[in-house]
Amino acid sequence: MKKKIALLLVVLLMASIFVGCAKPAVQAEEEPVGASNETLTDVLVIGGGGAGLVSAITAAENGADVILVEKMPMLGGNTIISATGIAANSTKIQEEAGRPFTVQDHIDLTMEVGKDLPNLELVTVMAENANDAIEWLLSLGLEYKMHASEDHHLVPVEGHFGSLMIGAYRQEAERFDNLEIKLGTEATELIFEDGKVVGAMVKNKDGEYAIKASAVVLATGGLGNAPDVIGEYNPKYAGGTGVMSTAGITGDGIIMATAIGAGTVDMEHHMMRPLATPGYWIRETVVSDEEIGGILVNKGAVRFTNETASRWDMVPDVAAQEDGVAFVIFDADVAETSNGAAAIRNARMIEADTIEELAAELGLDPATLATTIEAYNNGEDEFGRKTMGKVTKAPFYGVKAEVASHYSMGGLAFDRNAQILDTDGNPIPGLYGAGEVLGGLYGAGRIFGNNTLDNIVFGKIAGESAATK
Ligand code: ADP
């Protein structure tokens, strides 16, 4: 019964996130505004994902009048689709579970996974504020437990991580009369006067106008749905897609800030996934594990790579195929592994009793796919794979996958006050940032859950800096 009530609450919460709520602080659509009109506020927050909401709440808590603009018709960004959990250290949850993880452990792991490229000062700020961030989430009514195996990671006691988090932020935001959220309102350009950011041009369905502010917080997320921009910074990742991202994550913050002289860091360390499907990336082990032996084929139903190569080599190989598409194919043995079962479930893989039936359902030529798999099962291989002959046991599974962005490791240069830096490393007056738009925390690798933690830590710092400057 308790479970049912909790489930009902989650459904109601999700519904309120998606359909909007009657509270006056959140406008579903903005009042018509003429082009000559100008709105004034203390703090303008651009972007209504996790980082933007935390920044706006914190600025409002510090007494500032705040406007948050979100270009989509709903709040949440990519934070709302985050299905894992949050990185943490020194929390009572870890202590009570007898699985201690200290500030220093957190710093060390973040630096190690990032191959020592992350900015140690900024990582230290994030780790030192992690426990306060978790305490704040608990104070909003969210509940967490330990991840099954990772000591640095907390997951919700029940329910979907990202949607619960955005629901709680949204509810908290509604407490403040001095915080106004404008949905369907897109920032197009920062207003930069006398070396200082003093607002942004925004547009909604009725036109374009200026919002002037004493400080602006950029919280526009990363490059998840900006494959062209990713390709500009990373030619080897050109041809990717945005299938793992919400629609609004088009790199606007990076584009607007670099246009007025902001610096970037680590843009070449973009986190890509080679086998992405809408909203889910298939773990590469379903084809890369020599012991189990799934394969990849292209639209011509032929293999094109050594599937056991690293994820990083797989990305350009898949992107180079016709329409940038690969088909993940495996058999009943792979289906029994945890990653295989997850792929079948989350990527909605097609199941068939024969290879020919599977091919027909996937839109591949049945005879060619049968020949490809027969050759593979007979040990014929031109790509250097060691173990062959594994796609043998019915039922067979397949799905179309493509290269997609998963996380923008690089972003705008910033300092411990969450102020954005110019290309010479000097703070840009009036411009702050939080969340995935920032670069410098992760370098070449990110431990999972640090992203939602950095939303809170630097969202709070940005909100406070912007409100009190
Ligand atoms: P983070 O985790 O850093 O908060 P998210 O992806 O969760 O990032 O959220 C970023 C939000 O910013 C999204 O909701 C996106 O629609 C919004 N956004 C992006 N560009 C603009 C823009 N130009 N104007 C207003 N909102 C924007």
Side-chain angles (χ1 to χ4, degrees):
M1 186 62 185
K2 222 172 142 191
K3 225 175 170 178
K4 271 194 185 153
I5 292 171
L7 195 68
L8 186 68
L9 284 175
V10 171
V11 170
L12 286 174
L13 192 63
M14 293 282 288
S16 84
I17 290 164
F18 283 97
V19 301
C21 171
K23 285 270 176 118
V26 181
Q27 293 182 342
E29 277 169 17
E30 214 202 328
E31 305 285 323
V33 185
S36 62
N37 283 4
E38 192 174 283
T39 300
L40 287 179
T41 189
D42 295 327
V43 175
L44 170 64
V45 177
I46 303 176
L53 282 163
V54 175
S55 304
I57 290 165
T58 310
E61 261 170 2
N62 278 274
D65 283 337
V66 184
I67 293 177
L68 180 153
V69 292
E70 165 54 55
K71 73 177 180 183
M72 301 303 287
M74 62 175 272
L75 295 168
N78 278 3
T79 306
I80 205 172
I81 58 171
S82 173
T84 51
I86 186 163
N89 70 69
S90 316
T91 64
K92 58 187 177 206
I93 301 166
Q94 286 154 311
E95 248 163 59
E96 281 164 14
R99 289 165 61 184
F101 192 74
T102 65
V103 170
Q104 194 57 48
D105 292 338
H106 200 153
I107 294 169
D108 292 346
L109 188 61
T110 302
M111 295 302 292
E112 185 194 325
V113 172
K115 300 214 172 7
D116 277 334
L117 291 172
N119 178 314
L120 181 59
E121 184 191 4
L122 299 174
V123 169
T124 303
V125 171
M126 178 168 70
E128 285 179 346
N129 285 284
N131 186 31
D132 285 351
I134 302 299
E135 285 293 326
W136 183 64
L137 293 177
L138 299 177
S139 78
L140 300 182
L142 295 166
E143 292 184 306
Y144 297 98
K145 62 182 180 185
M146 293 298 299
H147 181 272
S149 57
E150 300 290 343
D151 291 345
H152 75 268
H153 202 76
L154 306 182
V155 296
V157 168
E158 199 168 25
H160 184 271
F161 174 70
S163 55
L164 286 170
M165 179 172 257
I166 290 295
Y169 291 171
R170 182 186 166 122
Q171 230 168 12
E172 181 66 1
E174 283 168 359
R175 291 202 307 118
F176 294 94
D177 292 338
N178 53 335
L179 164 54
E180 185 186 358
I181 295 176
K182 294 175 184 289
L183 300 178
T185 304
E186 175 181 352
T188 54
E189 196 183 334
L190 294 171
I191 304 172
F192 191 52
E193 287 172 2
D194 302 326
K196 186 173 179 314
V197 172
V198 293
M201 294 303 296
V202 302
K203 69 172 184 204
N204 64 11
K205 66 179 176 45
D206 298 308
E208 191 163 28
Y209 64 103
I211 299 182
K212 288 285 195 79
S214 307
V216 172
V217 179
L218 277 177
T220 48
L223 298 171
N225 196 25
D228 293 349
V229 185
I230 295 170
E232 267 171 42
Y233 284 102
N234 296 274
K236 65 183 179 226
Y237 296 153
T241 68
V243 295
M244 288 179 61
S245 176
T246 54
I249 316 302
T250 48
D252 301 8
I254 306 276
I255 294 165
M256 289 188 287
T258 51
I260 60 136
T264 57
V265 260
D266 293 338
M267 296 301 283
E268 69 279 24
H269 293 291
H270 202 88
M271 191 187 267
M272 298 290 287
R273 299 294 176 189
L275 305 179
T277 59
Y280 180 75
W281 59 276
I282 296 174
R283 304 307 190 264
E284 295 80 18
T285 55
V286 301
V287 294
S288 67
D289 185 341
E290 290 281 15
E291 296 303 311
I292 60 176
I295 60 164
L296 297 177
V297 299
N298 60 18
K299 281 195 155 178
V302 295
R303 288 179 62 224
F304 55 87
T305 186
N306 174 359
E307 295 88 345
T308 65
S310 77
R311 173 191 298 164
W312 315 117
D313 291 331
M314 212 185 268
V315 166
D317 275 1
V318 172
Q321 302 311 301
E322 185 186 345
D323 295 334
V325 160
F327 292 82
V328 178
I329 311 269
F330 58 67
D331 72 359
D333 284 336
V334 180
E336 279 172 21
T337 66
S338 63
N339 284 339
I344 292 167
R345 190 175 59 245
N346 298 324
R348 298 189 176 84
M349 293 185 76
I350 288 168
E351 179 184 314
D353 288 332
T354 66
I355 293 295
E356 286 81 357
E357 276 171 42
L358 183 67
E361 294 233 34
L362 293 171
L364 299 172
D365 181 61
T368 312
L369 186 64
T371 306
T372 295
I373 289 182
E374 197 186 338
Y376 170 74
N377 286 341
N378 287 334
E380 293 165 30
D381 170 59
E382 54 183 292
F383 305 106
R385 186 164 177 160
K386 290 199 199 88
T387 308
M388 310 289 293
K390 292 288 189 176
V391 185
T392 50
K393 192 168 157 194
F396 302 101
Y397 299 86
V399 71
K400 184 171 88 173
E402 46 203 328
V403 168
S405 163
H406 183 198
Y407 195 82
S408 306
M409 314 287 274
L412 299 174
F414 71 108
D415 67 13
R416 59 183 301 132
N417 300 317
Q419 193 157 5
I420 303 298
L421 307 178
D422 66 17
T423 47
D424 294 326
N426 302 312
I428 298 176
L431 188 60
Y432 300 84
E436 199 173 339
V437 75
L438 300 177
L441 284 168
Y442 302 122
R446 175 179 62 87
I447 60 172
F448 62 118
N450 258 350
N451 51 324
T452 31
L453 174 63
D454 86 47
N455 273 352
I456 303 172
V457 171
F458 287 102
K460 280 179 171 284
I461 294 173
E464 188 179 339
S465 304
T468 58
K469 58 183 276 304

